[in-house]
Amino acid sequence: MKTSVYNDKGLDKYLPVISKRHSLYEKKIAELTDGHKWDLSDSANAYLFYGLHKYPDKWVFREWAPHADEIFLIGDFNNWQPQADYALIPTYNGNWEIELALSALQHGMLYKLWVKWSDGAGERIPAYSRRVVQDEVSKIFSAQVWDTSNYEWKHTQPKQPSSPLIYETHIGMAGEKEGVSTYNEFRKNILPYIASMGYNTIQMMAIQEHPYYGSFGYQVANFFAPSSRFGTPEELKELIDTAHKYKISVVLDIVHSHSVRNETDGLSRFDGSFDLYFHEGERGMHPVWNSRLFNYGKNEVVSFLLSNCKYWLDEFKFDGFRFDGVTSMMYYDHGIGKNFTDYSLYYDGTQDEDAITYLTLANKLIHEVNPNAFTIAEDVSGMPGLASSIANMGIGFDYRMAMGISDYWIKLLKEKTDEEWHVGDMFYELTNKRKEEKTISYVESHDQAMVGDKTVIFRLIDSQMYTDMNVYQRNLNVDRGLSLHKMIRLVTLATAGNGYLTFMGNEFGHPEWIDFPREGNDWSYQYARRQWSLLKDQNLRYRFLAEFEKEMLRVVKKYRIFSQKPFVIVQSTVDQVLIFKRNNLVFVFNFNPTKSFTDYGFEIDKGKYKIVLDSDNTQFDGFNRIDDNYEYSTQLINKKNLLKLYIPARSAFVLHKTS
């Protein structure tokens, strides 16, 4: 019997296109490895060739700039003037090189390139710079000579988690102070908290150097430079090393979908040409992001990006990547304003097959460099095969973000009253995933926390977050908000395909949006931080949400719920009761805002059951309407094993079959 591609008969008619794309990948990998004479990872060593390198007897600097007429190193060492002694020599294939005595450069010196072309000249930061810093007064960025001994790694990298429980982080806004937090502060203050909560993966945003802090790190200029705003490369390595001590994997939120359009501190018009790394004309500019778009059809660009992946794996021991903007990469129209309602929209010729080839190569390389690494795709289009294996003609990501789930919760909270919540639709939306792919579910990421949007807790409680979150008095709206916050997160985690994500602070209902310093807010850091003191304040109710998050993570790990798919038992739209089984746990949700149910019966496996998690427990600021120590037994009624429960309004609990 013939097997359908990706086990989906609906894709059979598109098999020729899928096969063609896979053949483009096979052709490109053969080209890059000279007919498979070496591994792909051996073709991704550009970072070891280009840039500034120190040898026992000299410094060597190399750059690729085929359209340049002259290139000079300028910096602290020659008063920032182009001089013959610092002129690069053209070698081959557009490469330039200079050798300098060891005494010519010292640790900490600033430098750039002065590049001359046929009709102009300009300062440029080398494309492979590993250290870029900004002058505090002039705000100008420069490359920096970084001559330090290699960091000595102390801890082995953890095994890939079978089910990633991801804490999405931003180093700079991780502290409570109104300013930029550091790698060291994160390592000392935030990392122990993440470990204590039970997350097994950290996703780091804004690591690649970016000129504008408010871009959240998505307007990258210097792809090989860890952001110096937060500290030194060694301090980032120590952070990652310490995470590994806690058996926590660290994933880099890598940006290969576009680059900042800046010329003096980015890659745009690097050697006077507009198409060195990017497409020419309109195709080379993103219509919404106002940034430059890579030409994935050029081998030099592919080499640059693949080398970038290998660099972060080898030099910093990241355990994988979350690829940003994958939808934008895969479609000529970047998926803007497009509803992907038909399979034809994935195979109609409007896809950038060079980009798809690059993404497949990147996944091949990453797993070749570190077979234990894992990759996550951010794609809103639902491209089939994105998280299918390359051997099965897929693009090769290990996971895709289940991005429709956060959209579902926002739509529900904005458009429906509590009485209109349809648990059948809810279960469908939370479990509607491609069967052959692994997915990461989340209620909200950093996107929902940005200024102009609202987090779930803010949609639930709004301004009463500021006045009624104390433990000394009850408020009906706050009680509702906290109950639903716990239930929404639990049902999302319990129905997740293969993993779960939350953005830093959202687990305890951080009360404010994110707004980076900008002219419109007088360059304030007030909303570019996390107020951890709210979590620690015993007079406030935030701590109960964090405690519930911690306990639900403990439960899903202990009982290994991701080893099986959720199986629905009850989805009563009238009662607003949702009950489903997963592995050896039974999840019970009553979204009814006013009605509790006594002796609510449903058929289940014969045995005894005990509650292992209860959102209504006073430990989580609930009302303790259930005896969590009671052991429930099935009853044989009309030849059916029924379990009868008391299910309080607006609550959820989890049962474990004990016998």
Side-chain angles (χ1 to χ4, degrees):
M1 183 177 178
K2 181 181 177 182
T3 302
S4 296
V5 63
Y6 311 142
N7 296 316
D8 187 340
K9 291 183 179 180
L11 293 173
D12 286 352
K13 64 187 292 187
Y14 303 108
L15 181 58
V17 180
I18 295 170
S19 298
K20 176 200 169 189
R21 290 178 184 172
H22 186 68
S23 68
L24 290 174
Y25 154 75
E26 290 182 322
K27 180 179 178 181
K28 180 60 69 173
I29 197 171
E31 180 182 345
L32 294 174
T33 60
D34 194 18
H36 303 286
K37 291 180 181 177
W38 50 78
D39 291 336
L40 180 61
S41 62
D42 296 324
S43 301
N45 292 324
Y47 73 95
L48 298 175
F49 180 78
Y50 294 108
L52 182 64
H53 298 279
K54 186 179 183 181
Y55 294 91
D57 58 341
K58 61 186 175 183
W59 291 94
V60 177
F61 177 86
R62 301 183 186 93
E63 192 65 73
W64 178 60
H67 297 282
D69 294 329
E70 293 181 274
I71 303 179
F72 298 87
L73 270 180
I74 59 173
D76 293 337
F77 41 82
N78 61 6
N79 203 28
W80 296 92
Q81 298 300 312
Q83 297 176 355
D85 289 346
Y86 293 91
L88 275 68
I89 300 171
T91 55
Y92 62 95
N93 295 337
N95 292 319
W96 296 74
E97 181 176 298
I98 185 174
E99 295 184 1
L100 295 170
L102 289 177
S103 59
L105 302 177
Q106 296 178 9
H107 175 72
M109 282 183 167
L110 303 181
Y111 70 98
K112 289 186 179 182
L113 299 177
W114 179 257
V115 183
K116 298 181 69 175
W117 53 88
S118 60
D119 59 350
E123 292 184 355
R124 296 291 185 264
I125 293 179
Y128 288 80
S129 297
R130 299 192 188 189
R131 174 77 171 169
V132 175
V133 296
Q134 185 179 29
D135 186 273
E136 292 184 5
V137 178
S138 69
K139 305 303 180 184
I140 293 174
F141 285 88
S142 302
Q144 186 176 41
V145 178
W146 201 250
D147 179 24
T148 59
S149 58
N150 291 329
Y151 176 82
E152 293 186 11
W153 295 89
K154 303 175 182 65
H155 307 285
T156 58
Q157 291 180 254
K159 293 181 179 179
Q160 180 185 144
S162 58
S163 302
L165 302 172
I166 304 172
Y167 200 68
E168 186 185 29
T169 63
H170 183 287
I171 300 296
M173 58 169 288
E176 185 149 0
K177 66 181 181 182
E178 293 191 26
V180 179
S181 191
T182 67
Y183 297 126
N184 281 343
E185 289 169 336
F186 188 96
R187 173 176 55 82
K188 295 174 183 177
N189 302 326
I190 311 303
L191 194 53
Y193 166 77
I194 296 171
S196 71
M197 287 292 289
Y199 301 101
N200 58 29
T201 304
I202 295 172
Q203 181 176 300
M204 285 189 184
M205 310 167 61
I207 296 299
Q208 295 169 292
E209 192 61 87
H210 46 290
Y212 179 43
Y213 187 50
S215 73
F216 231 137
Y218 290 119
Q219 292 276 352
V220 174
N222 315 110
F223 287 78
F224 292 83
S227 183
S228 59
R229 286 184 182 88
F230 314 137
T232 68
E234 290 72 30
E235 288 165 348
L236 174 58
K237 290 177 181 180
E238 187 177 9
L239 191 169
I240 296 170
D241 198 15
T242 307
H244 291 163
K245 182 183 76 170
Y246 288 113
K247 307 302 180 186
I248 293 175
S249 299
V250 185
V251 170
L252 174 64
D253 193 345
I254 198 166
V255 182
H256 282 181
S257 50
H258 64 132
S259 177
V260 69
R261 65 180 298 178
N262 302 26
E263 295 180 2
T264 56
D265 46 32
L267 295 174
S268 187
R269 208 184 180 198
F270 187 83
D271 62 355
S273 64
F274 289 93
D275 62 345
L276 184 64
Y277 287 94
F278 311 106
H279 287 290
E280 289 186 279
E282 289 186 6
R283 191 179 173 191
M285 288 295 301
H286 197 286
V288 175
W289 299 340
N290 195 28
S291 53
R292 298 304 312 273
L293 297 174
F294 286 108
N295 182 351
Y296 304 102
K298 292 179 72 170
N299 282 354
E300 295 87 351
V301 175
V302 170
S303 175
F304 175 82
L305 296 173
L306 290 178
S307 173
N308 191 235
C309 293
K310 185 176 180 180
Y311 166 76
W312 292 110
L313 292 171
D314 271 359
E315 294 293 321
F316 289 86
K317 299 198 182 300
F318 277 99
D319 302 290
F321 301 98
R322 179 261 198 189
F323 275 74
D324 179 69
V326 169
T327 307
S328 177
M329 296 172 70
M330 294 192 298
Y331 301 91
Y332 292 134
D333 61 8
H334 313 296
I336 298 170
K338 195 171 185 177
N339 292 319
F340 291 86
T341 56
D342 188 88
Y343 277 166
S344 64
L345 297 176
Y346 304 119
Y347 306 105
D348 60 2
T350 62
Q351 296 74 36
D352 187 341
E353 292 183 335
D354 288 333
I356 293 172
T357 297
Y358 165 68
L359 290 170
T360 313
L361 288 167
N363 278 296
K364 170 67 174 176
L365 169 82
I366 291 162
H367 294 101
E368 197 174 90
V369 173
N370 180 5
N372 201 41
F374 58 102
T375 57
I376 305 167
E378 186 225 20
D379 168 46
V380 298
S381 76
M383 169 70 78
L386 184 65
S388 295
S389 69
I390 297 174
N392 194 34
M393 296 195 294
I395 298 175
F397 283 97
D398 294 288
Y399 302 91
R400 69 155 73 236
M401 302 298 296
M403 301 185 71
I405 291 175
S406 61
D407 293 337
Y408 166 75
W409 287 121
I410 292 170
K411 184 178 176 67
L412 189 69
L413 290 167
K414 286 174 64 175
E415 299 180 3
K416 302 290 185 181
T417 65
D418 292 1
E419 291 79 7
E420 295 175 314
W421 286 27
H422 191 296
V423 295
D425 290 346
M426 181 187 297
F427 188 77
Y428 172 79
E429 293 290 346
L430 295 176
T431 58
N432 182 28
K433 308 172 181 78
R434 297 193 62 83
K435 293 180 181 179
E436 84 283 359
E437 295 184 328
K438 294 190 290 185
T439 57
I440 306 292
S441 294
Y442 60 99
V443 176
E444 50 192 346
S445 67
H446 70 275
D447 289 323
Q448 288 72 42
M450 292 296 290
V451 65
D453 206 338
K454 285 185 176 181
T455 60
V456 166
I457 196 69
F458 231 110
R459 292 186 186 279
L460 290 167
I461 302 178
D462 210 73
S463 61
Q464 288 179 312
M465 293 288 294
Y466 299 111
T467 58
D468 294 274
M469 282 291 284
N470 65 81
V471 298
Y472 302 109
Q473 60 185 24
R474 286 285 183 180
N475 176 290
L476 290 177
N477 190 51
V478 173
D479 288 341
R480 166 189 175 269
L482 298 187
S483 295
L484 288 177
H485 191 271
K486 290 179 285 186
M487 294 176 70
I488 287 170
R489 296 178 78 85
L490 177 59
V491 74
T492 301
L493 172 61
T495 55
N498 307 88
Y500 170 79
L501 174 144
T502 191
F503 177 68
M504 178 174 62
N506 285 359
E507 74 281 0
F508 68 84
H510 196 280
E512 292 173 338
W513 56 85
I514 300 166
D515 190 10
F516 284 97
R518 55 187 173 86
E519 188 175 1
N521 65 13
D522 294 326
W523 303 103
S524 170
Y525 286 88
Q526 181 178 353
Y527 299 110
R529 60 191 180 119
R530 297 282 89 176
Q531 298 182 56
W532 301 104
S533 58
L534 298 174
L535 175 60
K536 299 173 184 177
D537 192 333
Q538 297 296 302
N539 299 310
L540 299 176
R541 302 170 75 176
Y542 296 97
R543 57 191 170 91
F544 296 116
L545 297 180
E547 190 63 30
F548 184 76
E549 177 97 358
K550 179 179 180 178
E551 190 62 15
M552 75 176 191
L553 293 178
R554 185 193 69 80
V555 167
V556 299
K557 286 195 294 185
K558 178 179 179 179
Y559 296 103
R560 300 178 65 248
I561 71 163
F562 295 112
S563 62
Q564 293 186 16
K565 301 297 182 185
F567 174 77
V568 69
I569 300 171
V570 175
Q571 45 184 349
S572 172
T573 58
V574 175
D575 297 335
Q576 292 184 279
V577 170
L578 174 65
I579 302 173
F580 57 89
K581 180 183 176 183
R582 192 161 191 185
N583 202 3
N584 52 1
L585 296 182
V586 179
F587 294 85
V588 181
F589 295 85
N590 181 6
F591 285 96
N592 197 304
T594 58
K595 190 173 182 180
S596 300
F597 299 95
T598 302
D599 288 336
Y600 200 94
F602 56 92
E603 189 174 6
I604 192 72
D605 298 331
K606 179 182 178 181
K608 296 181 178 181
Y609 295 81
K610 288 201 69 172
I611 291 175
V612 294
L613 179 64
D614 175 14
S615 71
D616 199 48
N617 192 296
T618 53
Q619 178 186 358
F620 314 121
D621 201 32
F623 295 92
N624 229 22
R625 290 171 288 178
I626 305 176
D627 182 0
D628 290 349
N629 295 315
Y630 184 78
E631 187 173 63
Y632 298 86
S633 298
T634 54
Q635 303 173 38
L636 186 62
I637 301 175
N638 295 328
K639 298 182 179 180
K640 293 182 179 179
N641 292 304
L642 300 182
L643 195 63
K644 291 190 175 184
L645 305 173
Y646 171 59
I647 312 177
R650 202 178 274 145
S651 70
F653 54 91
V654 184
L655 296 158
H656 173 238
K657 187 172 182 286
T658 58
S659 66

